Amino acid sequence: MRFMVIVKATEDSEAGVQPSDEMLREMMAFNEELVKAGVLLAGEGLHPSSNGARVFFSGDKRTVVDGPFAETKELIAGFWLLEVKSLEEAVEWVKRVPNVTGGESQIEIRQVFSAEDFENASPEVRALEKELRATVENG
């Protein structure tokens, strides 16, 4: 099972405050544990929302709104993509994440859909999804 581990933004992350060398070392040590355990598929930190944009959809219309965005608690500062056996295993990994800010923070864990989760998908759609995934994996 794949899970996205979503690190919620803080006032500091949205202000562009860079982590200290010590914080980076703690995070790299944790990432190294994930790699050695064979569960890390991807993981990245994100720039503040001031460097981003949102695209709103209404029928055929698209509206672009540049950041920053107001609700810090609803924003994402980074993520990991883990492949583990269960939600419980993902939770156990997240409980080991260093709290590098020392303050309050939040991490959300969400299961990623797999092709098998879409019961209404035709054999053609399933085959295309499998082909696209193979293309991405093989570069």
Side-chain angles (χ1 to χ4, degrees):
M1 303 174 99
R2 290 176 299 150
F3 291 89
M4 179 171 269
V5 176
I6 303 163
V7 179
K8 298 291 189 154
T10 64
E11 287 184 20
D12 280 350
S13 68
E14 273 300 287
V17 175
Q18 295 288 310
S20 69
D21 184 67
E22 181 182 342
M23 290 177 184
L24 290 171
R25 287 175 190 274
E26 287 182 49
M27 290 308 298
M28 289 300 102
F30 177 71
N31 288 343
E32 186 176 17
E33 288 181 52
L34 293 170
V35 169
K36 286 180 179 177
V39 300
L40 182 64
L41 299 176
E44 302 291 344
L46 302 176
H47 281 268
S49 68
S50 58
N51 294 355
R54 288 183 176 164
V55 180
F56 292 88
F57 293 74
S58 180
D60 291 339
K61 185 179 177 191
R62 307 295 186 262
T63 304
V64 178
V65 175
D66 293 329
F69 307 116
E71 290 296 320
T72 300
K73 65 183 179 182
E74 300 298 325
L75 299 174
I76 298 170
F79 70 93
W80 287 280
L81 189 59
L82 305 181
E83 185 153 11
V84 294
K85 293 182 177 86
S86 65
L87 174 60
E88 293 75 21
E89 184 179 353
V91 167
E92 288 306 311
W93 276 108
V94 169
K95 287 165 72 176
R96 296 172 58 190
V97 171
N99 185 4
V100 294
T101 66
E104 289 191 20
S105 59
Q106 183 183 83
I107 295 178
E108 182 177 334
I109 305 168
R110 303 275 301 274
Q111 187 173 352
V112 176
F113 276 108
S114 65
E116 296 78 28
D117 293 325
F118 294 100
E119 298 169 0
N120 296 330
S122 67
E124 294 83 11
V125 168
R126 290 180 189 277
L128 179 57
E129 192 278 338
K130 186 176 182 179
E131 180 182 322
L132 290 172
R133 190 167 297 279
T135 300
V136 168
E137 290 172 359
N138 295 326

